Amino acid sequence: MSESHAPTSGAMEGSNAKRGLWSSRLTFILAATGSAVGLGNIWKFPYITGENGGGAFVLVYLLCIAAIGLPIMMAEVLIGRRGGRSPVNSLREIASYDRLNPAWRMVGAVGVLAGFLILSFYSVIGGWAVSYVGTAASGQLTGQSAEAVSAIFSDLLADPMTLLMWHTLFMALVMLVVAKGVRAGLERAVSILMPALFLLLLTVVGYAMTTGEFGRAVTFLFQPDFSKLTTSGVLIALGHAFFTLSLGMAVMMAYGSYLPKNISIAKTSIAVCLIDTCVALLAGLAIFPIVFANGLEPGAGPGLIFQTLPLAFGQMPMGSLFGTLFFLLLIFAAWTSGISLLEPIVEWLEEQKGMNRTVSTLGAGFVCWALGIASILSLNLWADFTPLGSIDMLEGKTIFDLLDFFTANILLPLGGLLVAVFAGWVMSREAIEKELALSEPMFRLWYITVRFITPVAVGAVFVYNLFGA
Ligand code: PHE
């Protein structure tokens, strides 16, 4: 980000002219991608695809990205750029310019809460990746059987102290950057490490092609079998579209506030959605051939990538090196997402409670870390504790599962729905037209989508899942 752009392209009148802006369209794309591409793409997408039967689920997920995720991302970025401030204040600013109800800033509050809850378990998974750097580097994976690799993973989950150690380290990494201010350094780091992750993922896909089951994986991922799709699968696909694009919790609003005026919101948002989707699909293409070739279970759940990729690294030439690099990059991808999860609450504490940045980072980070302990224990000592198990759709869900379900499937779509309603029905149309600068037919398409399609689709999936089934 370069300060020199600020005076020429300040955000809405009255916003802080000293705020630096992204130095180019590419750096905004990289930073937004840094938030979007994370454990959601490489850890979560493959395992929920496996659990929900493959092709049909992937199709619904792709539809959700294109028809709901992309328009909402554009809405978030434009709200951020028009407000020119941190999310809650951007909404308040726009509300006061357009003489709207100041309660609209609560949209930001839903996001702040969601980010906080997500980070508590996200950091635990980030910790798994940290642990696997050591596992790969020490050569423990070389030549191992599928059973032995699975055992490494189950031993890790059974050991709360080790999990706590890695969770603590991951959380500390996130807090370190947030305490210093996110902007400095993020751009440069993301612009090197994201392409590196992409290349390594391609390397694993290359290996996966040699396993002989590549075709079966392609069929599994891309040939829809609608008999395998359930209504809860549709909710999960929708929720994951929000999760993977970092939507519904004001992250893109915050990043949009640094976007210079002359840059197209539509083009940049499309780029971010495309990159995010490519990474997820590549992860699927890397993992499923290995699953099938080794007789593993596609529906194995959250441990899927930790039981398949290490197996591949154990068998390929220079696997220890590639494996170490891969998990390092996975940590990095999770780290840039983790930072964007903690940032909104820290910003909010600073603004609303007047705390300084270090104190608010330490405070929020500590509570998040402590909450993470509940997720760690749900993997071992509390594995049978299902607090809301009496509710049908929450049956068998541990605290960890509940946090994941409640945030990704309820809070994020709710946040996104509110953003769509705000942009589609509340904000002034002229202001939006100016921000988006689209051709008339494209604008109309976007406007109809956020006004009607998104609210109806998200609302219908919600109502059906909560009351219908
Ligand atoms: N998009 C991130 C991922 O896929 C997770 C995330 C969700 C980050 C919401 C910020 C906000 O891993």
Side-chain angles (χ1 to χ4, degrees):
M1 220 174 330
S2 101
E3 294 286 330
S4 61
H5 282 72
T8 51
S9 40
M12 205 163 68
E13 310 89 292
S15 73
N16 185 352
K18 284 204 296 292
R19 286 164 62 97
L21 299 183
W22 302 112
S23 47
S24 71
R25 181 164 117 205
L26 183 65
T27 49
F28 169 79
I29 293 177
L30 286 167
T33 309
S35 169
V37 174
L39 295 169
N41 305 62
I42 297 165
W43 161 71
K44 197 172 179 191
F45 172 74
Y47 99 72
I48 56 177
T49 299
E51 284 182 339
N52 288 283
F57 176 84
V58 174
L59 189 69
V60 176
Y61 161 77
L62 292 176
L63 265 175
C64 289
I65 295 276
I68 297 174
L70 174 64
I72 292 192
M73 182 180 289
M74 289 168 62
E76 283 200 19
V77 176
L78 91 84
I79 291 172
R81 185 161 80 178
R82 175 149 163 83
R85 297 187 178 226
S86 73
V88 178
N89 280 339
S90 277
L91 287 160
R92 198 180 49 206
E93 193 94 339
I94 295 176
S96 86
Y97 269 87
D98 295 351
R99 296 204 171 69
L100 307 168
N101 188 335
W104 274 106
R105 67 178 194 280
M106 293 313 288
V107 177
V110 174
V112 167
L113 175 68
F116 185 71
L117 295 176
I118 293 176
L119 184 58
S120 75
F121 69 85
Y122 201 85
S123 166
V124 175
I125 318 295
W128 298 356
V130 178
S131 157
Y132 268 78
V133 172
T135 312
S138 61
Q140 284 176 55
L141 300 170
T142 314
Q144 294 288 11
S145 65
E147 293 75 40
V149 169
S150 290
I152 294 178
F153 182 69
S154 24
D155 289 350
L156 174 67
L157 292 203
D159 179 355
M161 283 324 278
T162 308
L163 290 174
L164 182 64
M165 178 169 84
W166 299 130
H167 161 59
T168 308
L169 181 65
F170 185 86
M171 205 60 211
L173 284 172
V174 170
M175 286 161 67
L176 194 76
V177 177
V178 174
K180 284 195 160 164
V182 180
R183 266 97 68 185
L186 192 63
E187 263 193 28
R188 199 170 333 131
V190 170
S191 59
I192 300 168
L193 294 166
M194 279 297 144
L197 178 70
F198 210 75
L199 281 180
L200 255 156
L201 213 45
L202 279 175
T203 312
V204 189
V205 175
Y207 168 80
M209 283 176 164
T210 68
T211 60
E213 294 290 357
F214 195 71
R216 196 162 147 211
V218 172
T219 312
F220 179 73
L221 282 171
F222 298 110
Q223 203 174 77
D225 173 357
F226 287 99
S227 67
K228 292 199 180 131
L229 191 65
T230 58
T231 49
S232 87
V234 176
L235 178 67
I236 293 170
L238 177 75
H240 187 62
F242 284 97
F243 185 86
T244 191
L245 296 175
S246 303
L247 296 177
M249 48 160 294
V251 170
M252 293 298 160
M253 254 182 235
Y255 283 5
S257 70
Y258 303 110
L259 190 67
K261 287 281 181 199
N262 55 354
I263 288 176
S264 156
I265 290 178
K267 282 189 199 147
T268 42
S269 304
I270 290 174
V272 176
C273 289
L274 277 178
I275 298 171
D276 189 80
T277 306
C278 283
V279 174
L281 295 178
L282 274 180
L285 288 174
I287 286 157
F288 286 108
I290 301 167
V291 169
F292 294 130
N294 292 281
L296 298 168
E297 182 49 55
L304 188 64
I305 72 158
F306 295 95
Q307 291 160 345
T308 52
L309 291 181
L311 193 60
F313 291 125
Q315 289 167 4
M316 64 170 77
M318 297 206 296
S320 295
L321 176 69
F322 281 137
T324 311
L325 269 178
F326 181 84
F327 285 109
L328 274 174
L329 289 169
L330 184 60
I331 294 171
F332 182 78
W335 191 13
T336 51
S337 303
I339 291 164
S340 72
L341 284 163
L342 186 59
E343 176 66 13
I345 182 143
V346 168
E347 224 171 17
W348 181 79
L349 287 173
E350 276 185 309
E351 273 176 9
Q352 300 299 315
K353 310 280 171 217
M355 290 185 192
N356 80 33
R357 197 162 182 94
T358 314
V359 175
S360 47
T361 306
L362 283 174
F366 176 77
V367 180
C368 215
W369 171 84
L371 194 60
I373 296 176
S375 290
I376 289 181
L377 293 174
S378 345
L379 301 168
N380 35 67
L381 303 177
W382 294 356
D384 297 324
F385 178 47
T386 54
L388 301 176
S390 53
I391 302 171
D392 250 7
M393 75 185 308
L394 302 177
E395 204 188 312
K397 288 200 186 320
T398 60
I399 295 182
F400 176 106
D401 301 330
L402 287 173
L403 279 169
D404 179 19
F405 181 85
F406 180 64
T407 51
N409 300 346
I410 312 273
L411 279 184
L412 296 187
L414 186 69
L417 179 70
L418 291 173
V419 165
V421 172
F422 184 73
W425 295 93
V426 182
M427 257 178 99
S428 96
R429 182 179 165 145
E430 292 74 53
I432 298 178
E433 271 180 294
K434 224 169 86 194
E435 288 294 343
L436 288 183
L438 290 171
S439 66
E440 185 54 34
M442 289 316 282
F443 178 79
R444 214 170 295 148
L445 182 65
W446 176 84
Y447 209 46
I448 291 173
T449 310
V450 291
R451 279 174 81 102
F452 302 104
I453 300 181
T454 306
V456 170
V458 176
V461 175
F462 257 164
V463 170
Y464 200 86
N465 266 281
L466 295 182
F467 308 109

